[in-house]
């Protein structure tokens, strides 16, 4: 049974369970199943459904419980979206959703990948108070995910951060990778100006810290391509959705990686 999806009202605190749309593993799967917190991209301006519901339906078909998070967007700035992401992880592990959950991971695209990275590294920002030992995922999938804000054009960074520009490095998750970070699957396309250099930086940082990492770079497809299957999921058509059959094989490669890491056991 799917939880109802609703947009986050930034002016009124909303229980995390009401910011999550749940897509349980398909009925043919039994026993404890892995779960994934799904963090769509959208530059903190929108939450494209093809990176939310699209990913969730794919994960459900693999036997993974998917929790799509509607985290806070602009004009709310950090730490608001990070607070939501941490609460999402806690909800999966401790919530009243009633599912039998095993290992818990995260998938993040673009800006959602920045959030995923901050979860992976356990980063606590200097602007936060009273945060200790934040929840971290057991595995991660990064789709053209933001690794380092220095790899974006300065005007874009200024728009995203506003008066938080002085903590730009704190918000660049690849700068905080160490050996405690979870195994990670990284992918991007060669035609994606922000995605490719960030994917390479993720891989460099993870490998330097001896974190298990697998990288795939595909020749075709622009930023925000999602599953690359050309399918739209809910809402208005999204201009970045395209059909690139070879790039779409990243889901097959990722499923194989999940099995290799012992996350998926059929």
């Amino acid at each position: 049974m799917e939880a109802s999806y609703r947009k986050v009202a930034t002016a009124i605190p909303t229980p995390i369970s009401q910011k999550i749309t749940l897509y349980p593993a398909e009925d043919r799967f039994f026993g404890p199943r892995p779960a994934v917190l799904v963090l769509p991209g959208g530059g903190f301006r929108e939450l494209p459904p093809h990176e939310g519901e699209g990913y969730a339906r794919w994960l459900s078909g693999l036997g993974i419980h998917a929790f799509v998070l509607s985290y806070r967007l602009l004009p709310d700035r950090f730490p608001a979206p990070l607070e939501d992401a941490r609460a999402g992880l806690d909800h999966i592990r401790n919530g009243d959703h009633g599912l039998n959950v095993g290992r818990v991971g995260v998938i993040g695209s673009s800006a959602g990948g920045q959030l995923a990275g901050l979860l992976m590294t356990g980063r606590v920002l200097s602007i936060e108070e009273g945060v200790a030992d934040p929840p971290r995922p057991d595995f991660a999938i990064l789709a053209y995910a933001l690794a380092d804000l220095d790899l974006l054009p300065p005007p874009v960074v200024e728009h995203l951060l506003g008066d938080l520009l002085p903590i730009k490095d704190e918000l660049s998750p690849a700068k905080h990778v160490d050996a405690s970070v979870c195994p990670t699957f990284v992918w991007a396309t060669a035609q994606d100006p922000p995605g490719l250099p960030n994917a390479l930086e993720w891989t460099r940082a993870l490998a330097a810290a001896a974190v298990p990492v697998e990288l795939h770079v595909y020749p075709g497809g622009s930023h925000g391509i999602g599953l690359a299957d050309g399918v739209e999921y809910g809402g208005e058509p999204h201009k970045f959705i395209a059909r690139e059959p070879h790039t779409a094989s990243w889901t097959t490669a990722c499923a194989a990686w999940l099995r290799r890491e012992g996350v998926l056991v059929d």
Side-chain angles (χ1 to χ4, degrees):
M1 181 176 68
E2 294 182 6
S4 61
Y5 180 88
R6 65 181 67 185
K7 259 197 176 314
V8 178
T10 58
I12 303 173
T14 307
I16 196 65
S17 62
Q18 295 182 19
K19 297 181 182 181
I20 285 176
T21 309
L22 171 59
Y23 297 81
E26 291 184 356
D27 291 343
R28 58 194 173 93
F29 297 100
F30 299 95
R33 303 303 306 175
V36 168
L37 180 67
V38 182
L39 303 173
F44 298 103
R45 296 183 302 274
E46 61 175 333
L47 298 170
H50 69 289
E51 295 173 348
E53 181 182 352
Y55 288 174
R57 292 185 181 276
W58 161 62
L59 291 165
S60 174
L62 290 178
I64 297 173
H65 302 311
F67 294 74
V68 182
L69 177 64
S70 179
Y71 56 85
R72 280 172 282 179
L73 304 174
L74 294 171
D76 286 336
R77 300 187 186 272
F78 283 98
L82 181 55
E83 291 170 347
D84 290 344
R86 290 175 184 148
L89 274 184
D90 280 337
H91 174 74
I92 295 173
R93 289 194 171 111
N94 309 315
D96 58 357
H97 44 70
L99 298 176
N100 193 350
V101 169
R103 293 169 70 181
V104 178
V106 64
I107 181 170
S109 303
S110 192
Q114 179 189 13
L115 279 183
L118 293 170
L119 291 178
M120 291 159 58
T121 59
R123 185 68 186 177
V124 177
L125 306 177
S126 60
I127 58 174
E128 297 184 278
E129 294 182 359
V131 179
D133 193 24
R136 299 172 69 173
D138 301 316
F139 60 93
I141 303 164
L142 300 178
Y144 41 88
L146 178 58
D148 189 335
L149 286 162
D150 287 333
L151 296 174
L152 297 182
V156 174
V157 177
E158 291 169 8
H159 171 72
L160 289 176
L161 299 188
D163 59 4
L164 298 181
L165 199 58
I167 64 166
K168 172 172 61 70
D169 286 353
E170 294 184 44
L171 293 167
S172 297
K175 293 183 183 292
H176 312 296
V177 170
D178 61 24
S180 69
V181 172
C182 61
T184 306
F185 181 93
V186 181
W187 78 272
T189 75
Q191 295 179 334
D192 180 355
L196 179 58
N198 278 280
L200 296 176
E201 178 57 20
W202 267 120
T203 305
R204 184 208 63 76
L206 291 163
V211 174
V213 59
E214 181 167 324
L215 169 68
H216 291 257
V217 177
Y218 296 90
S222 60
H223 192 72
I225 197 171
L227 293 174
D229 59 358
V231 176
E232 299 166 1
Y233 292 93
E236 295 299 319
H238 195 279
K239 65 180 180 181
F240 291 130
I241 299 176
R243 185 174 185 273
E244 290 279 353
H246 179 53
T247 303
S249 68
W250 77 262
T251 57
T252 301
C254 186
W257 175 81
L258 288 167
R259 292 183 176 93
R260 180 183 181 277
E261 291 296 323
V263 173
L264 272 182
V265 179
D266 296 329

